[in-house]
Amino acid sequence: MSSIGQMIRQERFKQKMKQSTLAEGICSASHLSKIENGTAIPSEEVLQLLLNKLGIEIKELSHQDESRIISSLQAVYKEGILKRNKEEIREYLQQFAEHKIHFQNLHNFYTYNLLMFRLFLILQDQDQDLSPFIEALRSVEDQFDHHQKFIFNINVGLFEFFEYKFHSSLLSLEKNLELTKKALLEDWELADFHSILGNIYHKNGENFSSVNFTTTALEYYKNHLYFERAMDCYILLGISYRNLNHFKKARENYSLALKLAEDFNLPYYKGMCYHNLGTLYSLEGNSEKALEYFHISLDLKKTEQHHGKVLVTIHALIVEYSKLGNSMLVLRWCQKGIDYLKNELTQDRSALPITYHYHFSIYKALHTNRQNLDHLLKEAVKHFEKTFDLRHIQKYSILLGDHLFHQNKFKLAGEFYQKANNVIYKQRNVEKWEDL
């Protein structure tokens, strides 16, 4: 079956256009519905009018060219997942920017869109709204085979993850646990799925499950010499073991990741390893070693221009100096963080600059005269509620509750203590205190 109807539906979803709007002046809405569902074939005239209204051109392919494109895309898809070669992915996607491909085989059309969607997710382009694409795929989910459903569930899970919907993301990915028995999957696809699932379990506070799935993925990456993916797994294992208070196992995994990063001279990964080792020393009460490692991490990250990672370590330095009660250095690093936001992230439209603006401003107020602190904390809590950042909702709610309590604003303090308590319920996925 031809993909023309699905292509029209997909483009309409992308442009957030109603069926009645697209059909107006061309055909009835019911006829357009049949075209999109594949139960009616449009005339050449109707087809061209619909395409003109959508502002797209289509490229007709022979069966041979169709197979060649799918084969080429599958190779780019595998390489993109295992090596995260973003520039090559971006270059590949640009080939299809001007024309929409009209597949004669509808199964190929579904495969093409599912694989392309995952490549877009790897790029994480902030200027591109992917929600219409996911809705278009949802509308035909019941027509996918087992392998396509497997890829679809990963796409949905990752999309929800990037939208900060961590619990929904986990539910989408867990659908694949049964599909791994039905779909014909290659080992690298299973490793990719297990590494993603390990990360999502970690985000949902299920650290034992995170360790189990990440360890399985790690074995594949080590055995097939995908060292950067192996480092991702070592670092995630380190974080999960740290959360389980298994500090020795955490250090072992961070150290293994660091050795690989040094062997292959990868400053980005070295920066992450030193940061996580610094966090471990901080939890163990060794501030001197923690600060040493945070400074090494920051120097490495700055050379690589990874802005988000730079901000993470600046924040870690501020927190460590705050724990030591060194207000002078807290304020110095708060100002460095604020300057970095102004100089390096002025065009960044993600939540990142706002998030760190709150972090730095709160610690700055906390270590000066506390003027405007309650207002800052209230705004920060609202922001972290929008981004589903449970850790900082709890952390800043406790700080605000304490601040208000010492001002004798007991009722308002109680509201924020309750907000902090509610995080525990969400983390444990329970509704009643008896279930804690």
Side-chain angles (χ1 to χ4, degrees), residues 2-5 7-8 22 26-27 31-32 35 41-58 60 102:
S2 165
S3 68
I4 193 66
M7 188 186 306
I8 289 169
L22 178 57
I26 301 173
C27 63
H31 184 58
L32 175 58
I35 292 171
I41 300 172
S43 67
E44 284 297 321
E45 181 185 2
V46 167
L47 175 60
Q48 198 54 54
L49 288 169
L50 291 171
L51 296 176
N52 289 344
K53 197 164 187 178
L54 289 167
I56 61 171
E57 295 180 20
I58 61 172
E60 300 282 352
H102 177 200

Side-chain angles (χ1 to χ4, degrees), residues 377-411:
L377 286 167
K378 286 174 187 175
E379 291 299 312
V381 169
K382 286 180 186 175
H383 168 74
F384 291 115
E385 284 175 332
K386 287 179 184 176
T387 58
F388 300 94
D389 186 339
L390 296 180
R391 177 189 169 203
H392 287 105
I393 294 170
Q394 186 177 47
K395 186 173 179 176
Y396 289 136
S397 291
I398 291 170
L399 179 59
L400 180 53
D402 289 347
H403 180 64
L404 293 167
F405 183 85
H406 289 110
Q407 293 179 337
N408 298 324
K409 297 178 181 178
F410 303 124
K411 184 179 178 182

Side-chain angles (χ1 to χ4, degrees), residues 187-219:
D187 288 345
W188 68 268
E189 291 179 285
L190 278 171
D192 172 56
F193 170 56
H194 288 152
S195 66
I196 293 169
L197 195 54
N199 193 27
I200 306 300
Y201 273 126
H202 155 67
K203 281 293 184 182
N204 281 277
E206 298 185 34
N207 291 292
F208 282 113
S209 295
S210 178
V211 166
N212 289 335
F213 283 101
T214 306
T215 300
T216 304
L218 175 61
E219 287 305 308

Side-chain angles (χ1 to χ4, degrees), residues 280-317:
L280 204 56
Y281 281 116
S282 175
L283 289 170
E284 292 173 326
N286 189 342
S287 289
E288 183 180 350
K289 201 70 175 175
L291 289 166
E292 177 190 339
Y293 275 48
F294 288 146
H295 280 289
I296 294 170
S297 173
L298 189 60
D299 290 340
L300 288 163
K301 289 174 178 179
K302 281 182 176 178
T303 63
E304 291 289 290
Q305 298 258 309
H306 284 283
H307 301 309
K309 301 299 181 185
V310 167
L311 292 168
V312 168
T313 302
I314 290 175
H315 183 217
L317 283 164

